[in-house]
Structure formats: C-alpha cells, structure tokens
Amino acid sequence: MKRQDIKPTLAVGCFVFNGRDQLLMIQRGKSPGRGLWTIPGGGVEYGETLAAACRREVMEETGIDIELGEMLTVFEPMFEDFHYVIIDYLAVPSATSSRIPVAGDDASDARWVAVDEFDQLSLTTDLLPVVEQAVALADATGLFDLSGAN
C-alpha cells in the first residue's frame, strides 16, 4: 500500500479523572505504542457519536462507565503506516460506575495513576503536556467537583 493510500482514522481519547490527582490510564496491548501507557480511547465507529465512542472505548478498555465533560484538544499522531486524528475529552467516572479498572479489549493493564507517578511509566509520545492541559481545564470547568474531589 502506498503512503498516499493511507487515510486518517478518526479516534477519541478520554482523560478520566478520579479527583485532582488520579488519571485513568491503560497500557497498550497492541501497536502502535504496545507496552506504553496512555489514556483510554480508540476509533470512532460508523454512525457513532463522539460522546458514544468515548463511553464505549473507556468501558471496553477499563470497565469504567463515564460522564463526559468538555472537549480538550485535537491530537494528530502520524506513524509509518498510521495517521490518526484524535479528539480528546475530559471525563469522570459515573456515579454508579465501579471505580476499579479492569483491563479489556486492546489494553494489557488499566489502573488509576497519580499524576506525580507519571515519571515512573513509559508514556506515549506527547502525553504529559496534554495531561497538564487536561488538569487545568478540568479545574477551570469544575469537573473535579463532579468527581467528588476536594
């Protein structure tokens, strides 16, 4: 396949906060980025809204049901044979959701990670600056109040 034949894939990512200091993270079980830690997310299916794709992807990869917040940013990673257009959102676990993540789908691990522990993980490219942006927006929009954070 020629590079010009590769079409961008629309995807979503979710920065799911459990208070001000914990972010829901998955370890990628597949390429690209196999073994690296990132936020839950994935491709948008035909006929699926972005919000529905966020809820589905987070549930499939972690078993956590979410309440979606604001759109955060658009991220456009390009690899040798992948080109994604990823729309990132903020979220918190829903009031009735389990708070214990369980890895599923293409995640090899899922857990809540304290923001100050990120330096101990191998993260996907450019994730850390977006985490800082997500924390600032979550604080500014009152999302942490929904999560029960102090």
Side-chain angles (χ1 to χ4, degrees), residues 37-107:
W37 287 87
T38 192
I39 59 170
V44 178
E45 296 176 356
Y46 178 80
E48 184 176 47
T49 66
L50 296 173
C54 286
R55 287 190 296 275
R56 176 185 52 77
E57 284 291 343
V58 173
M59 179 59 77
E60 286 177 358
E61 293 182 345
T62 69
I64 304 287
D65 185 35
I66 61 166
E67 291 182 31
L68 200 60
E70 301 285 323
M71 192 213 35
L72 176 64
T73 191
V74 177
F75 182 59
E76 193 172 12
M78 293 184 212
F79 303 94
E80 180 74 22
D81 44 353
F82 292 98
H83 176 181
Y84 292 99
V85 177
I86 303 172
I87 303 172
D88 287 331
Y89 286 86
L90 299 176
V92 294
S94 70
T96 59
S97 179
S98 166
R99 299 290 171 123
I100 302 170
V102 177
D105 196 29
D106 62 353

